[in-house]
Amino acid sequence: MAADNSVLLGLVEEFVSGQVDSKATDTAKGIKTGQFTILQLVEALGLSLTSSQHQTRGRGVQLLSLVLQECYSCLSEREVEVLLAFYENRLKDHYVITPHVLRGLKALTKCSVLPPGSAVSILRSIFQDVHVQSLMLAERSCVYNILISLMESREEELKGLGADFTFGFVQSVDGERDPRNLLLAFQVARNIIHRGYDLGKFVEELFEVTSCYFPIDFSPPPNDPHGITQEDLILSLRAVLTGTSRFAEFLLPLIIEKLDSDVQSAKVDSLQTLAACGLTYTHKELAEFLPGLWSSIRREVFQTASERVESAGLSALSALTSCLSRSVLSSDSEDYLQVFLNLVLKDCQHHLCEPDLKLVWPSAKLLQAAAGASYRASLIVSAAVIPALLEQYNNRTQCAQRRTLLEVLQGFVQPTPLSRPADGEESVLVAFQQSLCSVVFSALAESSAGLQVTATRVLTALGQQPGLLAQTDVEKAVDHLTRLILEEGDTQVSLAVVECSGSLAHLHPKAFISRMIPRLKEEILSESNAAVRQRCVTAVASVSSQLSVVQESAPVLLQVLASAHTGSCSFSMEEVTAACISLQRIAAHAHDAEEIGQFFHDNIIPRLLGLALQAALQSRDSGHSPLTDEAVLSALVPVISTACAALQSGSASRMAAQAVSLFLDGDVSFLPENAFPSQIQLLQSQAESRGPSQLVCLLMACVCSLPRSVDIPEIDTLLVQLEDLSCTCSHLFSYTFAAKCFAGLVNKRPAGEALDAVLERVLKRISVELDNVSSSQRTQAFTLLLWVAKAALLRYHPLSTALTDKLFALLSDPELGSQAADGFCVLMSDSPDVLNRSCHADVRIMYRQRFFAENSTKLVKGFNSAEQEKKSCYLKALSHIVNNLPREVQLTELPALLPLLLEALSCPDQAVQLSTLSCLQPVLLEPPAALRNQLEALFSRLLALATSPAMKVRIASLRCVHALSRLPEHMVLPFRARVLKALAAPLDDTKRLVRKEAVAARGEWFLLGSPGGR
Amino acid sequence: MSGGTRLENANPLIFQRSGERLLTATDEDEDVADPIDDREIFDILSVSINDPEHPLSLEELNVVEQVRVNVNDQESTVSVEFTPTIPHCSMATLIGLSIKVKLLRSLPDRFKIDVHITPGTHASEDAVNKQLADKERVAAALENSQLLEVVNQCLSTKSM
């Protein structure tokens, strides 16, 4: 003990007299480990604390405070009490000591065992004995922190101080200038306001000391280590100013005054602050200032050229209106909302009727902002504005003016979330329902495309609100839409019409079933213009979101496929594919509506399979049906897989059983029009291109997209057959899909011995095939390897490394090297038809990053050891892998790979060049340090590629050159002359898109290092 | 140019921007050569030059219009007429110079570039046209670093 004591004395001595700061940490460590107690420390400090020298006393207090900062948590209540008494007393001491005292107090206020009453006494002595604003920055921050932590822990006690607390705070914060401290001070002020401290008669004082910073103008110094932004300050000050309605009488005049400012950010800040007031204020606070506020807002919206000011003004108006709408009316007072809106209407309404429509947009936006604030406001505004607009519309004859009016009208028709009628209220537009409909219909009948597009939008908005379209109106609307689909060739119009039909059909399916679908069907199956038929097919798909419509529309599309197959109607290959795409869009609705999936399962899928099978079997003797075409089959795959992915477990199992028995046993019983030969073998490999074996893609669509919980019957036999087909078939389409199907099944199979056995068997077979250099089926084996590797990689199967290592080994293969390199693209990107998340595949997150992390070194090593002519395969593989990584990972990984990527730029393969350039471009925006030494190499390669024969390469390299102009000037200025000269050639490129990039890049490079440029 | 405190035309009429040029299939086709056309030159001018007084592009102020841009790719000539926002606009020379410089930087050497004011839209039309047509005066103007600074400011893209 005695020894400890002397150690402690030594430490104190060295700190106080020896000025060795590090001893404080040693002392704190001693106290934490229990070597000495605080009491012993105070005793040891005795002499220095009572010394007559300020410096020595200061040093003593400093040591004590530093120790307390470290170990305030292990103090007892009694110790805290004594220490507090000491510290409070020290506040009266010499100013040299005050900073250390405050630091000690700050540490003590964090104690959990603060004795009752001590918070009040601490604050009293701080407010009494310290003049905060004459302290240094760090000490001021100490005071604010003391306030904050006491407000957290001793709220009740502080409230007992009453308004004195507020006054003390006001005094200590008055004149603060540092942004870091201001953030703290604003936090205290916010707490005072929001937690209900007594403001007493100091409301105005508190407002004064905070509002003097409004509007905040602060630009952080460059390389600011504190990271405080203007936005932080603005938001925390706004929370203070708008926190209580008692500030209203001071704040609102201030806002009106600041809105006159010339500084745009001040205007925006004022308007946003006003909008924030709307949340806390009531009509009482606002009433007196409404005319002033309104005229300021109006002036800003009418006169500004800045979208920020305009949108801030509109939201402020909206907030004011919704605040007034909340107010409770008493019988004798006037309705402030009505009064305010009358003001708005008076100033804006007449602009809607001016002949030149000059201020129509700003007025309309103001009115819409007011109307959108509440249901009551929208009632008042609509009642005044809509009749006027309708009358205007009918009086005008020019299309452009009518369009403007209709667009304005659209803004009033679409309710906002705030102005939506509650249950039991009817839409504000009910009174104008008739005339609105007739305006919309007359606009739809006009020949102007812009007018038609706007009219469809208004129609959509009307349709979505109950009670605005009567049954007859819906029918009329459907007739108009049908006519437009059939007659209107303009792409914008047909897009808008189709969109509108889609949303109306969801709500009013009957009218579409009876009026639109039959017309479209007739048109599709007639010998009309291909473009019209295409529009009809698209429209059929977009109206089909309800089962009742799907039941009518999907058969129409099936009929297209059927008649294309029989040849009764001449459909081009594109039309057949388009029909498939439309079917897929319909199938996508099965995710939201289970019964649509069921309908596809019961009707559409069997018929599709039946058609495809008929086509495949028949083509042997008669001519080729379009349904044996690979493009059409590939388009059918997503139809089936989208529908199957949405099936519920019961029908999903049935689907699996039916598909497997069809493909394994030739069981055709579930197919309609059962006229198939009895012995069909679909998974036998054939050499011919249009044979039944290519239907394996449909098998994949049926079984690989079902939910993972579904058991596939006879899966082992199926896997064996698929493996055989994919290894032995010589038809590219068939063996690729067999491999994909195999992979899709393997990916979902539960982990266990059975799965491992399958994988090992297939790995062995692939190895044998690949090792046999003379074998004609090496490509097949490679394809199977690629897809199985992907299936295993996605689910992190332990065997995946063995499989991908085989792929890496193939990069140096003389025949398969290039294909293997491209295979990495398949491996790393999402494939659209199988092994993706929408097919319920087992895809682990971040598998790409993991793969990259595990294999990038292998790749670099392989590249370095490869022969010169093989290197390009490695580069290609690398660029595929890197290109598919998320951007953030690319940015961190690229510096290491930079030499390799630069190498890749000089590789002759255009695909490699292109993907490398697209990796590089984002990196060049924030160049890593490693790049700075390589600029010379980079520029010479990029500029050489600017005249590459491939247009995409030229564009990408010019984009990179453009990005480089943003590098720090001293780095790139030496290259300016060279770049400008080299970019002169692409200015005369034959392709416009290249010239566009060249113009942009050269413009920036001209500005570099030139006065007024950058 | 002395950073005037009052704008000459404080509240100009603003015109709608024509949308982006639509991409056609031939634009993507490697084998088709796209000639330099009016719209292309118009796009170069409308997007990248800002009015010195307003934060608006020349297209929004209707200073350049596509119909007043004429290009002949075969004969390598470009002619651009621009319309100052008001007849007494003192910025007319500067706008013209900016257009000229932008074209010099963006077009191949082979082009002969002619920039002039739309007839009848400016008080001192002839004087300005003469200045813009004089090669030496344009070159001399660009030697003047103060003038170059202002031109470069007009040509700096907004995003920077």
Side-chain angles (χ1 to χ4, degrees), chain A residues 358 949-952 966 987-988 990-993 995-996 999 1002-1004 1006-1007 1010-1014, chain B residues 21 23 26-27 29-30 32-37 40 105-108 110 148-149 152-153 156-157 160:
Chain A
K358 198 176 170 192
M951 157 181 172
K952 285 196 174 133
R966 282 173 213 155
L987 288 182
D988 211 0
T990 48
K991 296 308 296 176
R992 184 171 297 124
L993 293 175
R995 293 197 295 263
K996 196 175 147 200
V999 166
R1002 198 161 188 254
E1004 286 304 318
F1006 257 110
L1007 293 177
S1010 174
R1014 197 176 54 96
Chain B
R21 182 180 191 136
L23 216 58
T26 54
D27 283 335
D29 188 344
E30 298 259 8
V32 183
D34 317 318
I36 297 182
D37 61 9
E40 188 173 339
R105 289 176 182 180
S106 311
L107 287 175
R110 61 188 168 91
L148 184 61
E149 186 176 342
N152 275 339
Q153 272 162 3
S156 296
T157 37
M160 306 257 314

Side-chain angles (χ1 to χ4, degrees), chain A residues 27-60:
Chain A
T27 319
K29 211 177 285 163
I31 289 187
K32 264 194 217 157
T33 54
Q35 205 182 349
F36 355 98
T37 62
I38 283 283
L39 182 65
Q40 284 169 325
L41 173 64
V42 174
E43 280 168 356
L45 275 169
L47 274 179
S48 23
L49 291 181
T50 52
S51 158
S52 59
Q53 295 288 316
H54 313 314
Q55 303 300 343
T56 318
R57 284 208 306 283
R59 212 51 199 163

Side-chain angles (χ1 to χ4, degrees), chain A residues 99-326:
Chain A
H100 309 306
V101 177
L102 286 172
R103 241 163 252 148
L105 278 174
K106 181 175 138 193
L108 287 172
T109 52
K110 288 191 206 146
C111 281
S112 48
V113 291
L114 213 54
S118 55
V120 171
S121 76
I122 295 175
L123 287 181
R124 275 196 199 285
S125 25
I126 289 183
F127 290 152
Q128 212 165 16
D129 300 325
V130 185
H131 181 241
V132 178
Q133 287 309 315
S134 52
L135 297 173
M136 300 295 284
L137 180 122
E139 283 76 54
R140 299 202 301 273
S141 142
C142 242
V143 174
Y144 302 131
N145 275 315
I146 291 175
L147 291 180
I148 289 173
S149 55
L150 286 178
M151 286 176 108
E152 291 304 326
S153 56
R154 304 285 145 168
E155 187 170 326
E156 285 313 310
E157 278 184 44
L158 297 193
K159 282 184 180 167
L161 266 174
D164 286 353
F165 177 67
T166 310
F167 182 65
F169 168 71
V170 167
Q171 278 200 317
S172 45
V173 78
D174 194 1
E176 179 61 59
R177 295 190 55 202
D178 186 81
R180 282 162 284 175
N181 282 344
L182 275 178
L183 277 183
L184 295 174
F186 291 157
Q187 192 185 340
V188 177
R190 190 164 68 223
N191 289 347
I192 291 182
I193 290 168
H194 285 268
R195 297 187 186 166
Y197 285 83
D198 185 8
L199 299 184
K201 44 189 193 302
F202 302 113
V203 177
E204 186 167 3
E205 280 77 4
L206 182 60
F207 178 77
E208 286 298 328
V209 292
T210 46
S211 68
C212 60
Y213 303 101
F214 179 80
I216 283 186
D217 180 18
F218 168 66
S219 39
N223 312 324
D224 179 26
H226 310 294
I228 296 179
T229 62
Q230 170 153 356
E231 200 57 26
D232 296 336
L233 286 165
I234 287 179
L235 291 179
S236 54
L237 176 60
R238 186 173 299 155
V240 175
L241 294 181
T242 62
T244 168
S245 54
R246 296 179 65 187
F247 283 164
E249 53 175 322
F250 314 112
L251 179 60
L252 293 173
L254 183 69
I255 287 179
I256 295 178
E257 180 195 322
K258 296 295 176 192
L259 273 174
D260 286 334
S261 152
D262 286 333
V263 186
Q264 186 181 329
S265 65
K267 286 185 200 241
V268 174
D269 191 5
S270 306
L271 289 167
Q272 286 174 343
T273 306
L274 181 57
C277 290
L279 297 175
T280 39
Y281 289 6
T282 64
H283 67 97
K284 284 197 209 80
E285 288 85 31
L286 289 173
E288 155 188 14
F289 301 100
L290 283 175
L293 288 171
W294 161 242
S295 67
S296 300
I297 293 178
R298 185 194 54 194
R299 185 191 63 217
E300 292 313 318
V301 173
F302 273 174
Q303 291 185 358
T304 186
S306 142
E307 275 174 39
R308 279 186 68 212
V309 175
E310 184 187 85
S311 69
L314 295 176
S315 14
L317 176 61
S318 192
L320 286 183
T321 318
S322 86
C323 171
L324 292 175
S325 314
R326 279 198 309 269

